[in-house]
Amino acid sequence: MNRRERRSASKAARHTPSPATPAALYEAGLQHFIAGRHLDAQVCCQKALAIDAAHAETLHLAGQLCLEAGQFDHAVEWISRALRQQPKTDYLTNLGIALLKQGRREDALATFDKAVQLEPDNPGLWKNLGDLLLDMERLEEAALTYQHALKLNPCLWEAAHRAGFLLHRLGRTEEAFACFNLHEKMPADSSLKLQMRALAMYILDRFEEGLQDIKRAYALDPTNAGTCSYAGALLRQLKRDAEALPWFDRAISLQPNFLAAFHNKALALAQLHRFDEAIAIYDQIKAISSTDGTADFDASLIRLLTGNFEAGWAGREARSRVPGLAVASFEFSQPRWLGKEPLDGKTILVPEDEGMGDTIQFARYVPMLAARGARVILCVNDPIYPLLAGMSGVSQCLPKSAPALPTFDMYCPVGSLPLAFETRLETIPPGVGYLPQPSKARVQIWEDRLSGSGAANKLRVGLVWSGNPKHPNDRNRSIPIEMYRALLDLDATFISLQKEPRPDDKSVLEQADIIDIGAHLTDFTETAALITCLDLVITVDTSVAHLSGALGRPTWILLPYLPDWRWLLNRTDSPWYPTVRLFRQDETRDYGRVVDRVRSELAGMIAASKSG
């Protein structure tokens, strides 16, 4: 070594920590850890802590070594000791991971929350918190947390992807699309970018384009479970459920606890009428996540559909725990009545908790409450309030817009009444006679309107072709008005009962030979009066179907291959409404074939009316 090299070595020595110091031993141990030499790293930690048992960085490294070795109890102990010396966010993050490995999710949540409090402007920490909330099925909180992470860093692509997924699952479509649409700002094509673009296409109902993107994403990264699950979901929307199943299986093989893939697989099996297999999937979901309300609820619908009312009603109580489902939840201090306690002399509140069709269907139970000696307060959505206000057995009927509720002793949501009365197929209460009939004066007003609109002395047929566009099964339940053109050349008068036609239907409605006086259908009382003037109602599965059936009017309902639970399977009649006929899709899921059968039956009905 020459003089210059000796001077350089001497200078370097003055600036390099002695190998015997905790800092130097920690640095050496860290390099061993990064290189995968864990035993050497452990030796360095032991030496450093022998000198300074409170050296925070070494304590944390010891915890990381235990975490890598699967010794989670020791990892928690070492990292907790490090935190007592020096609260740092990376320590908290690793402690949270160790707690998760122990199954202590609530403790891990508190730890991640502390990390966020320590560095509130760190988007990565907010994403970690969101990941845990998602894992805990606390979807609203997870979505909000991801959105906050994106405010701090709009280029946090994985947070954008997960936020979009959650928001879409929660029914907040516009917010979801805004997240997925961030793919436009991403760098060159990547699997994640293609996933996000595919999901943006999903929201826009451009499923074929989305499927092409997701298949490209799969080609780039065939080990991504999310990509496989999304491919299956897109195939489901294209009504290719049998093709979707292998994609869900692939996703589950890559990520055994992938709940979204399990849920989608169960839905695909149900669409294929493989109900026992679908129930088995829901059992698997419950084994993974015992608090999964969606699994309980969806399994209950299959049980009801297949006639197992006892298990179905009980499982359906999970509906208030289903994220994104439009079901009201109640937090009254009064007890919930489910059929056990006596009602004589008690005041019971019956609040609407689901759709208006459900309320019409289950309103038949209200007189049965009164027959048990209860004073019944019914609280329903404003459009249906005038219809139910005069029901027998109702002491007081209130719209939901009422400023306050009167005093009551107990409550039972409308949707829980079948459970409370232990309804079985053979004990369904009568389906007509419980709704008040429209007044003669109101019916006469509608007769005059029909006459003034040119309704000839022919069979009068009311038509409904679409329901609530926000309904999760709207794509299968609703049809375009164009499909009814096959009926319009028959010798009958057709009247629209559609309150709010969709934009694509308005132009057809204007050109078709259908009387449209829907502007006067201001509430269900008006619709009931109009239906009373008709000979037949032909409708898809909407609240009008329930209204017409409950009024005892002849009603034909067009149903998808997998119908709503209340219509059961393989029958053309309904135990809920004696004047209803059911026209079902076959396995082709072609509504055109359904409308052809309706046309044939309607032609026969018209001929019979003329000969009679």
Side-chain angles (χ1 to χ4, degrees):
M1 182 182 293
N2 60 33
R3 187 184 304 173
R4 179 178 295 176
E5 289 172 333
R6 285 195 297 271
R7 282 201 304 266
S8 297
S10 176
K11 184 177 180 181
R14 289 196 299 271
H15 293 281
T16 302
S18 167
T21 67
L25 290 165
Y26 161 73
E27 288 294 342
L30 180 61
Q31 294 307 312
H32 287 309
F33 177 71
I34 292 170
R37 298 187 295 270
H38 291 183
L39 183 58
D40 292 331
Q42 187 175 354
V43 170
C44 289
C45 287
Q46 290 171 348
K47 290 179 178 179
L49 294 174
I51 300 169
D52 181 1
H55 192 261
E57 291 178 310
T58 304
L59 291 167
H60 178 241
L61 180 57
Q64 287 180 288
L65 286 163
C66 292
L67 192 56
E68 287 289 321
Q71 299 169 350
F72 305 125
D73 290 346
H74 293 307
V76 169
E77 182 181 346
W78 283 114
I79 300 171
S80 297
R81 286 176 60 185
L83 281 164
R84 286 194 289 271
Q85 303 303 319
Q86 189 176 359
K88 294 178 67 174
T89 55
D90 55 338
Y91 298 179
L92 287 163
T93 298
N94 281 321
L95 176 61
I97 292 169
L99 291 166
L100 277 176
K101 294 292 186 181
Q102 291 182 308
R104 296 164 59 183
R105 295 199 294 182
E106 289 294 340
D107 291 336
L109 182 63
T111 302
F112 285 139
D113 190 55
K114 285 179 184 176
V116 163
Q117 293 175 33
L118 204 60
E119 287 187 38
D121 295 329
N122 186 325
L125 296 177
W126 284 97
K127 179 194 166 295
N128 291 342
L129 182 59
D131 290 346
L132 178 53
L133 288 166
L134 174 59
D135 184 61
M136 296 173 72
E137 288 286 299
R138 291 167 63 167
L139 306 188
E140 292 277 4
E141 295 170 78
L144 188 63
T145 303
Y146 284 134
Q147 286 178 301
H148 187 73
L150 289 170
K151 285 181 182 178
L152 296 171
N153 180 5
C155 296
L156 207 60
W157 309 124
E158 194 170 331
H161 173 252
R162 293 181 182 179
F165 168 78
L166 282 175
L167 291 163
H168 184 259
R169 185 174 169 186
L170 293 167
R172 291 155 61 180
T173 303
E174 290 184 9
E175 294 174 81
F177 185 75
C179 290
F180 291 143
N181 219 26
L182 288 172
H183 72 78
E184 295 179 352
K185 299 180 181 179
M186 291 178 71
D189 274 7
S190 66
S191 176
L192 184 60
K193 176 173 183 171
L194 288 164
Q195 280 188 39
M196 290 172 68
R197 190 164 70 195
L199 292 171
M201 294 300 101
Y202 186 105
I203 291 173
L204 293 171
D205 291 350
R206 291 159 59 177
F207 303 121
E208 284 287 1
E209 293 173 74
L211 184 61
Q212 296 310 310
D213 277 331
I214 211 67
K215 285 184 174 179
R216 285 178 59 202
Y218 176 74
L220 290 172
D221 183 6
T223 63
N224 189 305
T227 302
C228 298
S229 185
Y230 295 146
L234 284 157
L235 285 164
R236 280 202 60 241
Q237 289 299 325
L238 291 165
K239 299 182 181 179
R240 292 156 60 181
D241 293 278
E243 290 179 61
L245 288 173
W247 287 98
F248 297 132
D249 287 336
R250 202 170 295 145
I252 292 165
S253 69
L254 291 166
Q255 188 176 323
N257 290 346
F258 195 170
L259 289 176
F262 275 109
H263 276 289
N264 271 308
K265 181 179 179 181
L267 292 171
L269 288 166
Q271 282 289 346
L272 295 166
H273 286 203
R274 292 162 60 177
F275 299 118
D276 289 342
E277 293 173 75
I279 290 291
I281 295 296
Y282 289 125
D283 290 340
Q284 287 181 267
I285 292 171
K286 294 296 291 181
I288 297 168
S289 175
S290 60
T291 59
D292 194 309
T294 303
D296 288 325
F297 179 70
D298 287 349
S300 78
L301 300 186
I302 292 177
R303 292 184 171 109
L304 289 168
L305 179 66
T306 54
N308 184 356
F309 279 19
E310 183 176 5
W313 297 129
R316 195 168 171 272
E317 289 298 289
R319 61 192 181 277
S320 62
R321 297 189 285 114
V322 178
L325 192 65
V327 175
S329 57
F330 307 102
E331 297 181 357
F332 299 127
S333 58
Q334 293 89 336
R336 186 185 183 105
W337 184 79
L338 288 178
K340 304 304 180 186
E341 300 81 7
L343 291 176
D344 194 29
K346 301 292 185 180
T347 297
I348 185 168
L349 172 70
V350 181
E352 180 175 322
D353 61 328
E354 297 183 84
M356 289 182 281
D358 300 278
T359 301
I360 293 171
Q361 180 181 359
F362 299 144
R364 69 188 69 201
Y365 291 92
V366 170
M368 298 167 66
L369 293 170
R372 291 196 181 190
R375 178 178 180 272
V376 181
I377 301 170
L378 187 61
C379 183
V380 296
N381 274 303
D382 290 32
I384 206 171
Y385 160 72
L387 176 72
L388 301 182
M391 265 193 67
S392 173
V394 176
S395 298
Q396 187 176 4
C397 188
L398 299 170
K400 280 193 174 180
S401 61
L405 291 171
T407 303
F408 59 95
D409 300 306
M410 56 187 74
Y411 76 99
C412 181
V414 170
S416 296
L417 289 171
L419 171 66
F421 282 94
E422 299 181 343
T423 304
R424 302 295 179 263
L425 195 59
E426 62 276 8
T427 64
I428 292 174
V432 292
Y434 62 91
L435 286 186
Q437 291 294 316
S439 69
K440 291 182 179 180
R442 194 178 296 272
V443 171
Q444 187 59 53
I445 291 171
W446 278 102
E447 284 284 359
D448 295 342
R449 282 177 181 150
L450 288 173
S451 299
S453 299
N457 189 25
K458 299 177 182 179
L459 204 72
R460 292 175 176 176
V461 181
L463 298 177
V464 182
W465 53 90
S466 62
N468 180 359
K470 295 183 179 178
H471 190 281
N473 198 34
D474 180 65
R475 286 182 54 80
N476 291 317
R477 298 201 319 170
S478 296
I479 62 174
I481 187 177
E482 188 70 34
M483 298 204 73
Y484 278 154
R485 281 192 184 274
L487 309 177
L488 299 183
D489 63 339
L490 295 174
D491 192 20
T493 299
F494 295 95
I495 297 101
S496 170
L497 297 175
Q498 196 75 44
K499 189 174 184 304
E500 295 179 354
R502 300 182 187 183
D504 292 345
D505 293 332
K506 288 181 179 178
S507 60
V508 179
L509 186 57
E510 290 169 358
Q511 300 166 15
D513 190 13
I514 300 174
I515 296 172
D516 181 17
I517 41 181
H520 299 287
L521 297 175
T522 53
D523 58 40
F524 277 80
T525 303
E526 297 293 350
T527 305
L530 173 54
I531 287 173
T532 304
C533 301
L534 305 179
D535 299 297
L536 173 67
V537 171
I538 299 175
T539 177
V540 294
D541 183 6
T542 69
S543 56
V544 174
H546 292 277
L547 177 61
S548 184
L551 289 169
R553 306 303 296 166
T555 308
W556 296 357
I557 306 176
L558 284 61
L559 295 177
Y561 183 58
L562 180 67
D564 195 58
W565 63 266
R566 70 201 80 222
W567 308 120
L568 302 167
L569 293 166
N570 305 319
R571 57 191 298 166
T572 59
D573 68 327
S574 168
W576 293 96
Y577 303 108
T579 61
V580 158
R581 286 187 64 187
L582 304 175
F583 292 78
R584 301 173 182 270
Q585 283 183 341
D586 57 26
E587 63 276 1
T588 65
R589 306 189 199 181
D590 180 5
Y591 267 119
R593 299 173 71 164
V594 178
V595 174
D596 287 344
R597 295 203 306 274
V598 169
R599 176 188 165 81
S600 177
E601 292 293 322
L602 181 55
M605 185 177 179
I606 292 168
S609 69
K610 289 180 177 180
S611 63

